[in-house]
Amino acid sequence: MITVGTKVCVTDFTDFLLQKGSVKKIKKGKAIIKFPGKQGEFEYSLEYLEEVKTISSKKGKSNKDI
């Protein structure tokens, strides 16, 4: 589910090169997105957005302290 603060990518063919951005606001089925390195904010329908799954970088405990 896409909420404020979620990292998303645009699935619309015309704008898929914008990479990943963060949702700043959601209003009437549209999301306001800020892309890093781009000035301004962009508005997209929620149907053209896909949540970016982040990979956890946590690793298991090491045995050095035993």
Side-chain angles (χ1 to χ4, degrees), residues 35-47:
F35 293 99
K38 303 274 186 197
Q39 287 189 340
E41 297 175 331
F42 299 84
E43 183 177 313
Y44 288 97
S45 176
L46 291 174
E47 64 188 49

Side-chain angles (χ1 to χ4, degrees), residues 4-19:
V4 174
T6 303
K7 296 273 187 197
V8 294
C9 64
V10 179
T11 60
D12 184 20
F13 180 72
T14 58
D15 290 332
F16 75 95
L17 294 175
L18 287 175
Q19 305 279 321

Side-chain angles (χ1 to χ4, degrees), residues 19-66:
Q19 305 279 321
K20 300 171 189 162
S22 296
V23 176
K24 296 296 178 188
K25 290 188 247 180
I26 297 177
K27 196 177 201 180
K28 296 182 182 180
K30 296 195 177 213
I32 307 297
I33 303 169
K34 173 68 178 136
F35 293 99
K38 303 274 186 197
Q39 287 189 340
E41 297 175 331
F42 299 84
E43 183 177 313
Y44 288 97
S45 176
L46 291 174
E47 64 188 49
Y48 294 122
L49 301 176
E50 185 175 305
E51 185 175 356
V52 175
K53 304 289 183 195
T54 57
I55 299 172
S56 177
S57 63
K58 293 181 181 178
K59 296 183 179 181
K61 292 183 178 180
S62 68
N63 292 332
K64 292 180 184 177
D65 297 331
I66 298 179

